[in-house]
């Protein structure tokens, strides 16, 4: 299991590569749909940028707070609950958005769409007891 500093270093290298290459990255994310999500820390108020996979649904970009099926929601999800205005980097485009977690039947519908497009999220859900949040 990577340490916190190893995880930060890996994320930072992906962020740097993403920004240097107009959204294109190699390694485990090569050819995948990746965006950078910048949230405001729920407690710290500091900006935090996280590389995330996403799935398109009409005009919306869906992100899943899967943390690879970990037992807790990832920090970026807690941050956007506290501060829902986020910055998104998609390719070379940068824009602000209002992140809205889906609930109930709408969440289930969106998660089913995500799984059809990116089946690995079903594996993430199978690894945990928590319901994986879907935000758009």
């Amino acid at each position: 299991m990577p340490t916190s500093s190893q995880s930060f270093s890996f994320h930072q290298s992906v962020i740097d590569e993403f920004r240097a290459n107009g959204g294109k990255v190699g390694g485990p994310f090569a050819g995948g749909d990746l965006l950078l999500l910048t949230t405001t820390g729920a407690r710290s108020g500091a900006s935090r940028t996280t590389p995330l996979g996403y799935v398109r649904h009409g005009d919306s970009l869906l992100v899943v707070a899967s943390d690879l099926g970990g037992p807790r929601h990832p920090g970026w999800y807690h941050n956007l609950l506290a501060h829902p205005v986020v910055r998104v980097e998609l390719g070379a485009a940068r824009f602000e958005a209002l992140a809205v977690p889906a609930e109930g039947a709408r969440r289930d519908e969106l998660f089913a769409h995500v799984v059809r497009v990116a089946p690995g999220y079903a594996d993430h859900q199978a690894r945990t007891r928590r319901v994986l949040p879907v935000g758009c």
Side-chain angles (χ1 to χ4, degrees), residues 1 6 12 17 27 44 56 65 70 72-73 77 83 88 99 106 108 116 122 130 135:
M1 186 118 203
Q6 288 171 322
Q12 191 59 52
E17 184 178 2
S44 70
R56 287 189 181 275
R72 288 186 273 252
H73 297 320
Y77 180 72
H83 304 284
V88 178
R106 179 72 175 150
D108 296 343
R116 281 192 298 277
R130 68 186 173 90

Side-chain angles (χ1 to χ4, degrees), residues 37-121:
L37 180 72
T38 300
T39 59
T40 301
R43 289 183 295 221
S44 70
S47 291
R48 306 269 188 237
T49 300
T50 307
L52 294 174
Y54 71 92
V55 170
R56 287 189 181 275
H57 185 265
D59 292 335
S60 297
L61 304 173
L62 305 178
V63 292
V64 178
S66 71
D67 201 22
L68 300 174
R72 288 186 273 252
H73 297 320
W76 64 262
Y77 180 72
H78 295 289
N79 291 345
L80 72 79
L81 290 177
H83 304 284
V85 175
V86 298
R87 188 174 73 236
V88 178
E89 295 176 57
L90 186 63
R94 293 180 181 197
F95 55 91
E96 282 194 349
L98 180 63
V100 180
E103 296 181 0
R106 179 72 175 150
R107 180 261 168 216
D108 296 343
E109 172 191 328
L110 293 176
F111 188 72
H113 173 76
V114 167
V115 169
R116 281 192 298 277
V117 175
Y121 286 104

